Amino acid sequence: MAVQVQGVSEAMVGLEIGSGVEKTEDYSKLIEYGLDSKVADKLDEIYKTEKLSHADLDERALDALKEFPVEGALAVLKQFLESNLEHVSNKSAYLCGVMKTYRQKSRAGATSSNGGATPQQGPDEEKSKQFWTGRGTLWM
């Protein structure tokens, strides 16, 4: 039974006024923690799927999300949502792992001298054979 307080029902406590989209009770905690509203929206969406709860996230994961660029955080959360978490016991650590992998891939793409268009080639095999010939190492 919903309780009426000055014309507002208790059931509306989780409602974001003006947006028309219902928020979980943990949404305000995400905003208070300092997460961008878009990131908080995506996390709240994940909470609603019950793949993750606010209690599953530790301070380390929330801090990492807060420091991530918004678009990167949204991409990480999308990947997290699409993941099979059936055998994941520590979802917070798993999310941190997804963020680490995303960061590494982003850096690798940014440092690629060819803009990431084609994979970089390794050393020239013929030159390597010439180098190692006569040095006591067989090249096969």
Side-chain angles (χ1 to χ4, degrees):
M1 180 175 141
V3 177
Q4 292 286 331
V5 179
Q6 295 180 6
V8 178
S9 77
E10 187 179 88
M12 293 184 68
V13 169
L15 212 58
E16 181 73 12
I17 297 174
S19 71
V21 178
E22 188 174 335
K23 304 292 183 190
T24 66
E25 63 187 33
D26 293 317
Y27 179 81
S28 61
K29 295 176 188 175
L30 298 171
I31 296 297
E32 288 171 15
Y33 199 82
L35 290 176
D36 182 272
S37 61
K38 291 179 185 176
V39 176
D41 286 341
K42 189 67 175 177
L43 259 178
D44 201 56
E45 179 185 318
I46 295 171
Y47 291 168
K48 289 176 190 174
T49 68
E50 297 182 2
K51 279 189 118 176
L52 180 72
S53 71
H54 188 69
D56 291 331
L57 293 179
D58 60 19
E59 192 174 309
R60 187 177 72 121
L62 289 170
D63 284 341
L65 273 174
K66 188 166 64 169
E67 299 303 318
F68 238 68
V70 173
E71 293 307 315
L74 293 175
V76 163
L77 291 173
K78 181 179 185 291
Q79 183 179 346
F80 181 87
L81 184 59
E82 294 169 353
S83 299
N84 179 359
L85 304 174
E86 186 177 332
H87 299 291
V88 176
S89 59
N90 187 339
K91 294 177 182 177
S92 190
Y94 182 83
L95 179 60
C96 286
V98 173
M99 286 187 274
K100 181 179 179 180
T101 302
Y102 181 88
R103 192 178 301 115
Q104 288 172 339
K105 287 182 179 179
S106 295
R107 286 183 184 153
T111 60
S112 175
S113 63
N114 62 3
T118 58
Q120 288 192 337
Q121 298 293 321
D124 185 303
E125 188 174 333
E126 197 55 46
K127 287 182 181 179
S128 294
K129 285 181 185 178
Q130 290 173 1
F131 176 80
W132 290 107
T133 302
R135 288 188 163 74
T137 304
L138 295 176
W139 186 269
M140 303 247 172

